[in-house]
């Protein structure tokens, strides 16, 4: 359609990209040979504004993933600590309490460093908002850290042979440590699970599409990581519950990841398989499987147990890094936003639901 | 959903009607006066080191922390125009709300003109049948159910008495949750500010003024500071073709409906509204658009949904997962408990 002679200098027009969902490129829904009815609404096709992203990726970088890992470790460890407190396993209790508070502390620092204005981190506790997982999470973290902190201080005091000049406060501390351990344990599972909601409650296509099952992946990952840390820090005789938790977590993680990917929108799930994040997640699965097996079979040997624990911790970390970056990638490519949305819109129209489209004829 | 998420009718102030924009892209000439006026009034830094994006005449790229109005330029061939018409016709034949084919609607257009359902009719100049430019000035939608506002943990984002969504610069701690929460990719954390605008009131000539609000989420305020003085937002004020209209939201939606009916009566079956439907995934937008092609052509999401709409279900799943974690720990202690 040359209009003027100068048009010959124009770069060739990019074709309107047409990509169908899923890997298999099926032809349009029949019609040509009359064997099937022509659909009223055409199959979705993918167009974008010069390939630019539709949604924005949040400015979350690796510190956030570190926080997710450590939040999980902290939560799982304080559950182990409570169990050990009830089952009278003092070594496991001590180590788990200290792990919990250390992980929560470092995790909170990682969280703060990812803020645009770190000096305003206390604004997180300015209000309680039920619609904001970040707000609820901050309160969960605060409550958890308080409980875990008191319990850990008491352990540290015992480890240092009560040398700190606490005076009458020591009695208070001893009285408070078990209730504090319970408080920490109450907020432990929410601490491990809310981060999944934090990711899913966004417009980032991959995270949002994983909303049904991501919490299961995250709590499993937390369980296996804290179990793994437990079998590293604690002697074999007392670490058996940690071992069991690690094995259960590893099994849960492998299953939950599979289920999640199968139930997600196939296009939105793609970033979980492709590129760096895909690689990361494949390695995380391998490490979790190896670590889980190691903990199950060789957990009676301190060396094997420690190696398995390390593999599990690394696997858990890679899961969070992989999920974080897969989501960031999915936001950067308009395809992952537009294609699933067009598909669900077309499906609703086919089902006769036409009242809820943002685009209207009038 | 509507119980959990915040919406303009939840607010306590009722002395002001909800304000909004109607951006009629059919008369946008792409002059970018709105972009410039917005930057000047809000003293936003420019967004890049003057790079050329090599795509049409748009070198702004997208909305962001430093760009609160963005004019999209789309060049389209005859085939794409035909596709746009087709998709517009499909909308009409679906009987989308608004309602029914344009002829049956009381409209300002001359009655009795039956919309031609073929593409035979001509479009207005300067478009030709083979080629057209789409220009559209994009802006924050000031959603009825705003994802950004719902997920903000600090309460920095709030609903004003005009029903708009605004960030309080001195409260936001830059956590970035809102960036991910917006289904339209509007809000962003300001990071760079390579060069600051030289418009600070106390600006000393020869000196570079500091960039404001670095590290804080930034987006269109619908010129809140002007609204409280009964002024029109800077972009609408500057728009030479009245493509950007400002007023009470109800009025804007009515104007939009009238205009789209008019265009359809003139045979532009590609005309459609975006955001005028209160039943859509974000409960309708405060900024309504008239588009001449599918939304994604302009970089708008085709079926946005406020993420918090699914939050109760997400909390439920997380609750089950958390219970599972407790159960697993209990099992672990039973299985491996005693020495
Ligand atoms: S368009 Fe995005 S930034 Fe604007 S109100 Fe809606 S959710 Fe918030
Ligand atoms: S970046 Fe600021 S405005 Fe956005 S969610 Fe965080 S605190 Fe709220």
């Amino acid at each position: 359609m040359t209009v003027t002679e100068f048009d010959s200098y124009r770069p060739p027009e990019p074709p309107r990209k047409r990509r169908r969902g899923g890997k298999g490129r099926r032809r349009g829904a029949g019609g040509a040979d009359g064997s099937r009815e022509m659909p009223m609404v055409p199959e979705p096709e993918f167009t974008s504004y010069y390939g630019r992203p539709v949604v924005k990726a949040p400015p979350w970088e690796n510190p956030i993933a570190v926080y997710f890992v450590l939040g999980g470790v902290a939560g799982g460890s304080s559950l182990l600590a409570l169990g050990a407190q009830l089952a009278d396993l003092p070594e496991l209790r001590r180590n788990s309490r200290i792990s919990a508070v250390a992980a929560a502390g470092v995790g909170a620092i990682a969280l703060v460093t990812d803020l645009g204005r770190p000096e305003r981190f206390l604004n997180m506790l300015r209000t309680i908002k039920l619609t904001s997982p970040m707000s609820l999470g901050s309160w969960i973290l605060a409550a958890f850290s308080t409980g875990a902190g008191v319990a850990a201080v008491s352990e540290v005091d015992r480890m240092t042979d009560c040398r700190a000049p606490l005076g009458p406060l020591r009695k208070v501390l001893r009285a408070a440590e078990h209730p504090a351990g319970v408080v920490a344990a109450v907020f432990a599972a929410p601490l491990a699970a809310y981060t999944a909601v934090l990711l899913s409650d966004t417009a980032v296509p991959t995270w949002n599409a994983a909303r049904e099952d991501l919490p299961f992946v995250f709590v499993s990952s937390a369980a296996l990581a804290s179990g793994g840390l437990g079998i590293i820090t604690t002697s074999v005789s007392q670490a058996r519950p940690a071992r069991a938790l690690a094995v259960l977590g590893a099994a849960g993680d492998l299953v939950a990841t599979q289920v999640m990917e199968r139930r997600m929108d196939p296009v939105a799930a793609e970033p979980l398989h492709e590129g760096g994040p895909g690689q990361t997640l494949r390695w995380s699965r391998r490490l979790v499987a190896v670590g889980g097996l190691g903990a199950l079979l060789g957990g009676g040997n301190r060396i094997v147990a420690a190696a398995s624990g390390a593999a599990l911790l690394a696997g858990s970390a890679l899961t969070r890094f992989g999920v974080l970056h897969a989501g960031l990638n999915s936001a950067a490519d308009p395809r992952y936003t537009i294609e699933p949305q067009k598909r669900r819109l077309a499906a609703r129209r086919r089902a006769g639901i036409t009242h809820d489209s943002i685009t209207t004829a009038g | 959903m509507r119980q959990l998420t915040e919406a303009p009718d939840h607010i306590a102030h009722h002395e002001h009607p909800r304000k909004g924009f109607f951006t009629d892209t059919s008369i946008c000439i792409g002059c970018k006066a709105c972009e410039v006026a917005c930057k000047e009034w809000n003293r936003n830094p420019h967004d890049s080191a003057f790079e050329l994006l090599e795509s049409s005449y748009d070198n702004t790229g997208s909305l962001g922390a430093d760009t609160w109005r963005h004019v999209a330029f789309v060049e389209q061939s005859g085939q794409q125009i035909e596709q746009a018409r087709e998709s517009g016709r499909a909308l009409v034949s679906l009987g989308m709300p608004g309602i029914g084919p344009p002829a049956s609607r009381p409209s300002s257009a001359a009655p009795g003109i039956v919309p031609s359902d073929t593409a035979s009719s001509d479009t207005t100049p300067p478009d030709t049948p083979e080629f057209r430019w789409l220009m559209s000035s994009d802006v924050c939608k000031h959603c009825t159910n705003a994802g950004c506002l719902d997920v903000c943990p600090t309460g920095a984002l709030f609903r004003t008495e005009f029903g708009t969504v605004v960030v309080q610069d001195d409260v936001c701690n830059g956590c970035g949750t809102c960036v991910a929460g917006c289904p339209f990719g509007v809000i962003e954390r300001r990071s760079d500010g390579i060069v600051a605008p030289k418009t600070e009131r106390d600006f000393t000539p020869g000196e570079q003024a500091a960039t404001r609000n670095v590290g804080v989420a930034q987006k269109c305020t619908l010129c809140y500071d002007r609204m409280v003085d009964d002024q029109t937002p800077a972009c609408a004020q500057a728009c030479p073709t009245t493509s950007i209209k400002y007023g009470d939201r109800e009025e804007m939606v009515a104007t939009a409906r009238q205009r789209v009916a008019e265009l359809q009566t003139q045979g532009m079956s590609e005309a459609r509204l975006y955001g005028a439907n209160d039943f859509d995934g974000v409960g309708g937008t405060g900024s309504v658009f008239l588009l001449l092609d599918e939304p994604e052509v302009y970089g708008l999401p085709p079926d946005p949904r406020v993420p918090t709409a699914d939050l109760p279900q997400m909390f439920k799943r997380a609750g089950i997962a958390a219970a599972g974690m407790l159960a697993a720990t209990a099992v672990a202690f039973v299985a491996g408990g005693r020495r």
Side-chain angles (χ1 to χ4, degrees), chain A residues 3-353:
Chain A
V3 178
T4 76
E5 52 183 309
F6 299 112
D7 276 356
S8 57
Y9 296 112
R10 294 161 59 87
E13 201 163 288
R16 261 200 177 194
K17 278 198 227 166
R18 283 161 199 263
R19 280 170 85 172
R20 292 263 151 75
K23 289 267 157 62
R25 289 182 157 230
R26 271 174 291 112
R27 304 252 74 203
D33 56 352
S35 61
R36 282 164 72 195
E37 212 184 321
M38 276 288 264
M40 269 297 288
V41 182
E43 286 286 312
E45 80 180 24
F46 166 60
T47 321
S48 76
Y49 182 64
Y50 300 108
R52 303 224 177 94
V54 173
V55 295
K56 284 204 164 49
W60 294 342
E61 286 160 33
N62 289 334
I64 281 278
V66 170
Y67 167 67
F68 290 169
V69 182
L70 293 179
V73 171
S77 297
S78 81
L79 284 181
L80 277 178
L82 179 68
Q85 177 183 318
L86 298 177
D88 195 22
L89 300 165
E91 189 194 347
L92 181 64
R93 188 196 66 211
R94 181 196 69 200
N95 292 349
S96 302
R97 280 182 177 174
I98 293 173
S99 309
V101 84
V106 178
I109 292 171
L111 188 62
V112 169
T113 57
D114 225 36
L115 294 178
R117 287 292 186 91
E119 77 278 10
R120 294 188 188 166
F121 73 94
L122 275 180
N123 281 7
M124 287 287 188
L125 305 181
R126 190 176 163 267
T127 166
I128 295 185
K129 251 171 100 171
L130 292 182
T131 54
S132 170
M134 188 67 114
S135 167
L136 292 184
S138 305
W139 284 102
I140 291 172
L141 179 63
F144 174 88
S145 306
T146 311
V150 171
V153 165
S154 183
E155 291 293 352
V156 171
D157 184 46
R158 246 194 311 273
M159 278 165 75
T160 52
D161 293 329
C162 307
R163 252 180 258 132
L166 288 181
L169 272 182
R170 178 159 291 118
K171 267 210 196 88
V172 180
L173 189 61
R174 288 290 183 278
E177 68 169 316
H178 287 316
V182 174
V183 168
V186 165
F187 289 101
L191 181 65
Y194 96 86
T195 48
V197 180
L198 175 66
L199 289 185
S200 291
D201 185 25
T202 62
V204 174
T206 298
W207 297 339
N208 190 257
R211 59 181 179 266
E212 285 287 310
D213 300 301
L214 196 60
F216 294 91
V217 175
F218 274 29
V219 296
S220 309
S221 192
L224 68 89
S226 51
L229 187 60
I231 57 180
I232 294 178
T233 56
T234 308
S235 58
V236 171
S237 60
Q238 291 214 358
R240 288 183 57 197
R243 232 175 103 186
L245 186 62
V247 173
L248 286 173
D253 181 88
L254 294 174
V255 173
T257 314
Q258 284 301 321
V259 172
M260 177 180 85
E261 288 179 6
R262 195 151 317 145
R263 300 213 310 167
M264 276 171 77
D265 181 286
V267 175
E270 257 175 43
L272 292 171
H273 306 290
E274 285 171 0
Q279 198 76 4
T280 310
L281 286 171
R282 274 191 292 280
W283 271 104
S284 106
R285 269 195 293 267
R286 278 173 214 148
L287 285 170
V288 166
V290 168
L293 270 183
L296 178 65
L297 304 176
N301 177 321
R302 191 71 204 268
I303 308 285
V304 178
S308 310
L312 288 172
L313 277 172
S316 168
L318 290 184
T319 304
R320 313 306 173 90
F321 279 92
V323 170
L324 175 76
H325 287 285
L328 297 180
N329 286 356
S330 75
D333 187 339
R335 178 173 171 234
Y336 298 119
T337 307
I338 293 171
E339 222 173 282
Q341 287 193 7
K342 289 216 81 168
R343 191 139 21 85
R344 73 187 184 209
L345 184 66
R348 284 209 308 273
R349 283 183 188 170
R350 269 199 298 275
I353 306 170

